[in-house]
Amino acid sequence: MKKFLSALLAAVLLLSATACAAHEPVLPPSRWGEGEAQGMLPRTYSLSEAYDAAEVVALVTVGDWLEEELITGRTFFRTTVQKVYKGDIPHEFVLAQEGCSTWTYRNYPVFTYGNQLLLFLIKYDVSMYRDTYDLVEYPDAYELISTYSTVMYVTQDDSGMSYVLDALGVMTEWSQINQPTDCPAVAHPGQEQLLQIRDNLTKQDPVLAAIAPSGDLYRLTDLEDYFARLSADYT
């Protein structure tokens, strides 16, 4: 009897391990909305202004799609923190992205499983709508400040060097206008490295690679040094 129970337990553990190993990513129903939003940005930020305004600045990896809220136009993802540069946040949290299957902004697709992002985050708060609508709420949810203008995508070259892509270039332009002597230098990798970076971004997310061919690139290490200086300035 003991041998039978031991064998049964081993079989259950094996099945559980196999199920975990065979986890199928949960993807969003669509990367693009049926319509295109034409909303104006609430504010344009430089890198240092975004760092200052954010409650949390973190390097994250997007996980499973959870659901979408069509009233507020948000899509929710389980997300894992890789590194924190400001603030406190759980290792796993819910990311609320503006955009859904009904509408998205131009050149700003809904995220997907495996996206590596450098984000400037604030708590997602729907309290002002609570008396009017029955909305999706997550107590540990965060969203980007100033929506798509502050999103930064992370990729690598074949040597493993990580680069951060300011796909729309808004923060880079604002930093160079307002703080030309106090902003990190834009990286200028060689042609071979650029091809590697683009190829690796395509492997991670072909949709994103197709719409972000000419954004501003930074070395992740340069941004990390910059955030460390900002952190020292604010302490």
Side-chain angles (χ1 to χ4, degrees), residues 51 85 221-235:
Y51 184 93
Y85 305 106
T221 52
D222 289 343
L223 285 183
E224 289 178 334
D225 290 343
Y226 183 64
F227 294 153
R229 293 200 305 273
L230 291 178
S231 178
D233 288 343
Y234 296 139
T235 55

Side-chain angles (χ1 to χ4, degrees), residues 22-40:
H23 169 73
E24 286 293 327
V26 182
L27 305 178
S30 175
R31 300 295 303 281
W32 298 108
E34 296 174 3
E36 183 178 296
Q38 302 291 337
M40 295 180 64

Side-chain angles (χ1 to χ4, degrees), residues 14 70 140 147 159 169 203 219 223:
L14 179 60
L70 300 183
D140 62 340
T147 187
S159 74
K203 291 175 183 176
R219 291 184 181 86
L223 285 183

Side-chain angles (χ1 to χ4, degrees), residues 29-108:
S30 175
R31 300 295 303 281
W32 298 108
E34 296 174 3
E36 183 178 296
Q38 302 291 337
M40 295 180 64
L41 295 178
R43 179 176 171 181
T44 302
Y45 290 91
S46 67
L47 282 162
S48 65
E49 289 170 340
Y51 184 93
D52 190 29
E55 297 174 24
V56 173
V57 180
L59 185 68
V60 308
T61 301
V62 176
D64 288 334
W65 175 87
L66 295 172
E67 59 183 313
E68 61 181 6
E69 171 59 76
L70 300 183
I71 295 175
T72 59
R74 296 300 197 280
T75 300
F76 299 90
F77 297 91
R78 197 177 309 282
T79 305
T80 303
V81 174
Q82 304 301 330
K83 194 168 184 179
V84 177
Y85 305 106
K86 178 186 177 183
D88 296 305
I89 191 170
H91 178 63
E92 291 188 351
F93 71 99
V94 173
L95 176 62
Q97 180 190 13
E98 193 168 1
C100 58
S101 60
T102 302
W103 59 266
T104 46
Y105 291 106
R106 179 182 296 236
N107 291 335
Y108 184 49

